[in-house]
Amino acid sequence: MKNFNRKYIILILSLILFANPVIADNIKTADKLMRKAHTVSSLEESYNYVIKARKIYEEEVEINSSNINALVGLSKTYQYTKNREDAKLYVLMAYNLKPYEPSLQKEMGDFYFNFQEYSTAIEYYKLALSSGYLKDFETNLKSAQCYEKLGDEENAQLYYKISGHVNPDSRQVKNKLNEYSSQHHADNTKELENAKYKYLFKDKKLSEEEQTERDVDKIIEQINI
């Protein structure tokens, strides 16, 4: 009887130890397929990669409905095919397992971003930034893009500047900041022309650009701590 119990325990431990790596390998395979889907030029080929990845994620979720990586991956396949209902179902399942995890807060932001719901996306990106993702380049960049889509140039510029501080080599951010710099130069020139015959006041408020600079300095100071 003792020998039977010992063999049973060894079998259970073996299943625990060797099953997880297999699941992890399956997830890696599905993730690789999703990366391929975003790099190939053929839409049909890209779609086929996504469907293959979806099948793997679905199998892993059937085995373990609490597999966060599989749930997030499955949601991304539905985001790719513009199926909002299923995409939201699976990303919410993952998020509800660990709602205070910044990576999942960001995933929620990405979901809303991909469906062009920028105000809601910003709220989740703010959660992620305040929960430990302050130095995360993509979260800051997506925040900038959300504000830009909403027409809030002041906050868009702020987050582009923070993104540039986190990743100084980003050409995308450099180009955006150059655009804003050129626009502000044109606006300032126009403002000076209009102000030629106006009185100057001592208690002048900060310009939007000056206020943005101050806000950026404060956040970068937090990043550097």
Side-chain angles (χ1 to χ4, degrees):
M1 188 68 178
K2 286 182 179 180
N3 288 335
F4 175 79
N5 288 338
R6 186 177 296 173
K7 288 180 181 179
Y8 182 76
I9 292 170
I10 291 172
L11 177 62
I12 295 297
L13 288 173
S14 299
L15 287 171
I16 293 171
L17 289 171
F18 292 106
N20 288 338
V22 172
I23 292 173
D25 285 343
N26 289 342
I27 296 295
K28 286 180 181 178
T29 300
D31 290 345
K32 187 176 181 180
L33 288 168
M34 288 299 291
R35 286 194 295 272
K36 283 185 177 179
H38 288 91
T39 56
V40 295
S41 56
S42 167
L43 289 176
E44 183 179 355
E45 188 179 1
S46 178
Y47 180 81
N48 287 334
Y49 280 133
V50 171
I51 298 305
K52 287 179 182 178
R54 181 180 294 171
K55 288 179 180 178
I56 296 173
Y57 291 132
E58 285 175 339
E59 288 172 0
E60 300 309 322
V61 170
E62 286 178 8
I63 295 169
N64 179 10
S65 61
S66 297
N67 187 323
I68 289 176
N69 291 331
L71 290 168
V72 169
L74 191 51
S75 173
K76 287 180 177 178
T77 69
Y78 284 111
Q79 290 177 47
Y80 181 92
T81 56
K82 306 300 181 184
N83 186 328
R84 186 184 185 282
E85 185 177 346
D86 286 331
K88 186 176 182 179
L89 169 67
Y90 291 110
V91 76
L92 264 178
M93 285 174 67
Y95 175 75
N96 288 333
L97 290 169
K98 289 186 177 181
Y100 300 109
E101 171 62 42
S103 63
L104 293 175
Q105 292 165 349
K106 180 184 175 298
E107 290 293 347
M108 288 296 297
D110 287 347
F111 162 77
Y112 286 107
F113 182 92
N114 289 335
F115 285 97
Q116 301 178 2
E117 298 172 50
Y118 301 114
S119 294
T120 308
I122 284 172
E123 294 306 310
Y124 281 101
Y125 288 142
K126 283 181 177 177
L127 283 176
L129 290 168
S130 63
S131 298
Y133 263 29
L134 190 60
K135 298 180 183 180
D136 185 70
F137 172 72
E138 190 175 344
T139 305
N140 282 296
L141 179 61
K142 287 285 185 69
S143 297
Q145 291 170 337
C146 283
Y147 281 115
E148 193 170 43
K149 294 286 187 181
L150 294 169
D152 187 343
E153 291 187 0
E154 184 179 353
N155 276 311
Q157 186 182 8
L158 186 153
Y159 280 97
Y160 275 126
K161 287 189 175 185
I162 296 167
S163 302
H165 179 79
V166 174
N167 182 7
D169 297 325
S170 171
R171 186 176 295 277
Q172 180 182 6
V173 172
K174 286 179 181 178
N175 290 340
K176 278 296 177 182
L177 290 175
N178 285 336
E179 284 180 24
Y180 279 109
S181 179
S182 299
Q183 182 60 46
H184 279 300
H185 177 72
D187 291 343
N188 288 340
T189 302
K190 186 176 180 180
E191 187 178 339
L192 286 171
E193 286 295 322
N194 293 334
K196 278 183 179 178
Y197 304 105
K198 293 181 181 180
Y199 291 104
L200 296 176
F201 296 92
K202 290 181 179 179
D203 298 328
K204 189 174 72 171
K205 292 183 178 179
L206 290 174
S207 68
E208 285 189 4
E209 186 175 7
E210 289 170 330
Q211 186 61 54
T212 298
E213 290 287 351
R214 285 197 177 185
D215 292 342
V216 170
D217 289 340
K218 287 179 183 177
I219 294 174
I220 287 176
E221 187 179 342
Q222 294 178 44
I223 292 174
N224 290 334
I225 292 175

